Amino acid sequence: MLILIGMLFLFMLLGIPVAFSIGAASVIYVFLDPSLSETTAVQRMVAGVNSFTFLAIPFFIFAGNLMNSGGITHRIFEFAAVCVGHIRGGLAHVNVTSSVIFAGMSGAAVADAGGLGASTIKAMRAKGYGERVSIGVTAASSIIGPIIPPSMAIIVYAIASSQSIERLFAAGIVPGFLMALSLMVMIYLFSERLKCPDEKKASRKAIWVAFVRALPSLMAPVIILGGIFSGIFSPTESAAIACSYAIILSIIYKDFSYASFKASVMSSVVTSVQVLLIVASANLFAWILTSKEVPQTVSQVILSTTENYLLILLALNLLLLLVGLFMETVAAINLLVPIILPILTIGFGMDPIQLGIIVVLNLIIGTLTPPFGTVLFVLSSVSNTPVEKVTKYTATFLPPLLLVLLLVNIFPALTLWLPEFFFGK
């Protein structure tokens, strides 16, 4: 096992992409261990992505790209601006509110940062907002997307842990809104220090016009989440419906073009292949760990060392935050969940639904931290700002997110209330 893990980190330190690092380390180990079958190893990689549920991932990625290119995100921003733009903190509140609405359509932080983020940063700069606020708030609010359903990371956790996607989606709603609320409270309290310009309150007529323009876009989360929670269609089917709805809206808004559609398809294909390749490689890695009874061994060692639940919970969060610094979210979920799930659920009785939100929230915060924070690099690109400065600006808005993480750990009801309300205990 030390050889396997050592090869993994060696390949990553050499700059080899995560998917190939995991896959190469696993394949080499299989060839070195005569008790493992090469044929079975290949079958495990294929089985890792041979799932109807996993179809939701490329569909939601495609839906997010279509919405960014089809004028949908722009209308969402306009509507949020007339609703909350006059609150002390101005467009910073609009930024967060827009991310909450967009979160109900696409479950990826990168899609939020790259699409909606480009519009919000441009608008805030035009109004005289400083770089710390325009870039920092955009980065912090972008990770609301993977918590409020639909969420690509939650789908991956659901499959890795054999849990209900619908329950996990419901579990992310309250923490997601708490993240938005905590950011908005911070913006409100420190608006003068952050030098946020005052914005005029929009007239009722302006609010009504913006609402009418944005109404079809605002219906997207209602259709997607309403269909899932009512049982009308599955998460995978909802992802396909989201894509169809985004295309229809783009045509209605007259922002649809062959060039933008082709670009959305190509971008979605590349991203989907990257994600699913990571899943396939990580599934082989997890199979090796399971076949060697590593999760059971680790669990026994930890339980024999301490039975202090709070100490274990603290260690879990620190581990996840540390892993999030260096590893992509999807890969980290597939590698860590088979090990930590039995420790927390069997050893300490934690609900796997609560554990899922804790895991995803920790790892998603990692997308805002160097050296491999994907959101940092996306915002660096769209804002033409060095990644070092993006990191500095983003750090200002991390405390509210860490506070929500703490609350989710301490109070299980924050994640379990809605799943029990919708689906029972």
Side-chain angles (χ1 to χ4, degrees):
M1 287 299 100
L2 290 176
I3 295 174
L4 174 63
I5 296 172
M7 287 191 296
L8 170 61
F9 283 102
L10 175 62
F11 292 148
M12 291 178 62
L13 289 173
L14 292 174
I16 299 173
V18 173
F20 294 108
S21 296
I22 299 172
S26 302
V27 169
I28 292 173
Y29 185 87
V30 168
F31 279 108
L32 293 176
D33 190 336
S35 66
L36 298 177
S37 167
E38 292 87 354
T39 302
T40 305
V42 174
Q43 291 172 344
R44 294 307 306 176
M45 292 187 71
V46 174
V49 292
N50 187 22
S51 167
F52 174 75
T53 306
F54 260 130
L55 280 175
I57 292 178
F59 276 129
F60 277 128
I61 291 172
F62 187 35
N65 287 330
L66 287 171
M67 291 171 187
N68 283 329
S69 64
I72 297 172
T73 54
H74 178 66
R75 285 166 173 80
I76 290 172
F77 181 79
E78 284 184 341
F79 176 66
V82 297
C83 289
V84 300
H86 62 281
I87 300 175
R88 195 170 73 187
L91 291 185
H93 293 300
V94 176
N95 195 326
V96 177
T97 305
S98 301
S99 292
V100 171
I101 299 173
F102 189 71
M105 307 179 195
S106 175
V110 172
D112 188 319
L116 185 62
S119 300
T120 54
I121 290 174
K122 180 180 179 181
M124 293 178 77
R125 281 174 168 173
K127 290 285 187 176
Y129 285 77
E131 296 290 88
R132 181 179 300 277
V133 180
S134 58
I135 296 176
V137 172
T138 300
S141 65
S142 70
I143 69 168
I144 296 174
I147 304 299
I148 293 180
S151 165
M152 184 174 69
I154 287 179
I155 292 173
V156 174
Y157 173 85
I159 296 172
S161 61
S162 301
Q163 296 298 312
S164 164
I165 294 179
E166 290 83 354
R167 282 182 174 273
L168 283 161
F169 274 2
I173 294 175
V174 172
F177 278 97
L178 282 177
M179 293 165 68
L181 179 62
S182 65
L183 284 170
M184 294 178 77
V185 168
M186 179 183 177
I187 292 165
Y188 184 86
L189 294 177
F190 295 97
S191 60
E192 291 185 7
R193 184 177 298 181
L194 295 172
K195 299 180 181 179
C196 298
D198 293 329
E199 303 287 340
K200 293 182 179 179
K201 186 174 183 179
S203 65
R204 292 183 179 179
K205 180 180 180 181
I207 295 174
W208 174 251
V209 170
F211 172 73
V212 172
R213 279 173 52 83
L215 181 59
S217 301
L218 297 174
M219 287 301 297
V222 177
I223 294 171
I224 295 169
L225 301 181
I228 293 174
F229 294 139
S230 64
I232 297 175
F233 40 74
S234 70
T236 303
E237 292 166 343
S238 73
I241 290 171
C243 293
S244 302
Y245 191 67
I247 293 173
I248 293 171
L249 286 187
S250 298
I251 294 173
I252 293 174
Y253 289 152
K254 298 181 180 180
D255 287 321
F256 183 87
S257 68
Y258 174 74
S260 64
F261 180 77
K262 181 180 178 181
S264 296
V265 170
M266 295 302 296
S267 176
S268 302
V269 168
V270 171
T271 304
S272 299
V273 169
Q274 291 172 342
V275 171
L276 295 178
L277 184 58
I278 290 173
V279 171
S281 300
N283 195 64
L284 174 58
F285 192 96
W287 172 72
I288 294 173
L289 295 180
T290 304
S291 66
K292 297 301 178 181
E293 298 185 346
V294 172
Q296 295 89 329
T297 303
V298 173
S299 179
Q300 290 172 3
V301 170
I302 292 177
L303 293 176
S304 64
T305 303
T306 179
E307 294 184 359
N308 189 317
Y309 176 70
L310 293 178
L311 186 61
I312 293 295
L313 202 56
L314 175 62
L316 169 68
N317 283 271
L318 291 176
L319 171 64
L320 292 170
L321 287 172
L322 180 63
V323 170
L325 295 177
F326 302 99
M327 189 172 290
E328 200 273 342
T329 302
V330 173
I333 291 173
N334 279 280
L335 293 180
L336 294 177
V337 167
I339 298 175
I340 65 176
L341 187 65
I343 298 174
L344 273 296
T345 57
I346 299 175
F348 291 94
M350 177 185 280
D351 193 296
I353 301 298
Q354 181 194 9
L355 177 60
I357 302 304
I358 291 174
V359 169
V360 171
L361 185 50
N362 270 288
L363 295 175
I364 289 298
I365 289 175
T367 64
L368 301 180
T369 53
F372 300 117
T374 52
V375 170
L376 301 179
F377 290 99
V378 170
L379 287 179
S380 174
S381 175
V382 300
S383 65
N384 294 317
T385 305
V387 72
E388 295 82 7
K389 288 188 176 180
V390 174
T391 303
K392 180 180 177 181
Y393 300 151
T394 302
T396 304
F397 298 93
L398 286 180
L401 304 178
L402 295 173
L403 173 62
V404 174
L405 175 60
L406 176 63
L407 294 175
V408 169
N409 275 270
I410 297 175
F411 302 107
L414 292 176
T415 53
L416 301 180
W417 175 69
L418 272 182
E420 292 175 356
F421 175 79
F422 282 117
F423 308 107
K425 292 186 178 180

